């Protein structure tokens, strides 16, 4: 049936980032909803950030659109040159190709939860703060000079 | 900036349905978020149903994936042969090609609000309860026998 049984989907805090960047991701717990719901045109994840957790390293995609809506709690949207608090019901969009590195940071003492949708993985993902580049064609993370991790 | 200013986007209750089906849609107020946010890979709408309002005529798409998450209030998800109450935080997925006509009905005395994402319009949309068919290639609604409205 269309309603998704969230409790039946494993929540995980795994990450594909290489060290040391992986070490920052322990407070991000997510469930992949698209495969559970039979969707393939776009991805959807249900994400909980523990206090101190971050949604990802600050990044932007060259060919992937992203959209998120806050469900519970509060997070700070950190983007290029500014910060914005997001509360339940707030929505944010990250169009592909806009070089505005962004992520969410939970600076509160309580969990926060959001849903994020995105185009299927393609192109490159850029990380302005760290020596990291996602190369989706090769399926690997690289240093900024192109060298694989 | 990525946070979407919902108040700056016009909410409308317009519908493309022909009469008499259009007459049921007065209680659905929506904002198109994808164009406002610069997204083009998928659509996103922020929808409020007034008491008695419905999200659409009961329908299914042959080539469009849909996903929704409830934000406020309560709605009944009516699908083929069953009904399910959706409350804030509940998620539902409607994979393309699954012949499970669905819509949300607000049977409460208060507004309810949800966000829905979907693939770009394509293919046909089927309405099992009424004499209606959406033909996206032609951009028109038809009777089930193919005759345009």
């Amino acid at each position: 049936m269309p309603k998704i049984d969230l409790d039946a989907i494993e929540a995980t805090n795994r990450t594909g980032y290489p060290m040391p960047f992986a070490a920052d991701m322990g407070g991000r717990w997510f469930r992949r909803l698209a495969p559970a719901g039979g969707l393939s045109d776009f991805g959807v994840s249900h994400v909980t950030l523990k206090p101190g957790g971050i949604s990802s390293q600050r990044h932007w995609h060259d060919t992937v659109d992203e959209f998120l809506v806050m469900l519970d709690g509060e997070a700070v949207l950190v983007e290029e040159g500014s910060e914005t608090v997001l509360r339940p019901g707030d929505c944010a969009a990250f169009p592909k190709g806009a070089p505005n590195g962004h992520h969410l940071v939970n600076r509160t003492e309580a969990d926060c939860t959001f849903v994020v949708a995105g185009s299927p993985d393609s192109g490159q993902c850029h990380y302005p703060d760290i020596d990291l580049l996602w190369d989706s064609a090769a399926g690997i993370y690289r240093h900024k000079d192109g060298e694989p991790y």
Side-chain angles (χ1 to χ4, degrees), chain A:
Chain A
M1 84 166 179
K3 182 182 169 186
I4 295 174
D5 183 356
L6 293 172
D7 293 336
I9 304 172
E10 180 201 23
T12 175
N13 71 344
R14 70 177 177 266
T15 175
Y17 290 151
M19 289 298 284
F21 313 120
D24 298 331
M25 301 311 303
R28 177 191 68 175
W29 290 83
F30 64 95
R31 294 177 165 91
R32 295 274 184 227
L33 302 191
L39 307 182
S40 53
D41 284 358
F42 49 89
V44 186
S45 288
H46 184 274
V47 185
T48 293
L49 300 183
K50 298 289 181 186
I54 62 175
S55 60
S56 65
Q57 297 289 352
R58 199 167 72 88
H59 72 285
W60 62 274
H61 294 276
D62 51 11
T63 62
V64 168
D65 277 347
E66 294 181 292
F67 174 87
L68 80 78
V69 54
M70 287 297 294
L71 299 183
D72 284 302
E74 185 176 304
V76 178
L77 165 59
V78 178
E79 57 181 305
E80 202 64 61
S82 76
E83 298 190 349
T84 310
V85 175
L86 297 183
R87 300 188 175 88
D90 285 344
C91 298
F94 307 97
K96 57 190 171 193
N100 180 8
H102 57 271
H103 67 170
L104 267 59
V105 181
N106 182 355
R107 294 183 186 153
T108 78
E109 298 301 311
D111 291 1
C112 70
T113 301
F114 59 91
V115 161
V116 59
S119 321
D121 190 27
S122 72
Q124 295 186 330
C125 186
H126 304 270
Y127 298 86
D129 299 329
I130 56 180
D131 181 24
L132 191 67
L133 175 76
W134 169 245
D135 174 348
S136 73
I140 57 172
Y141 285 97
R142 299 182 183 276
H143 295 269
K144 279 189 160 64
D145 68 2
E147 190 69 22
Y149 272 92

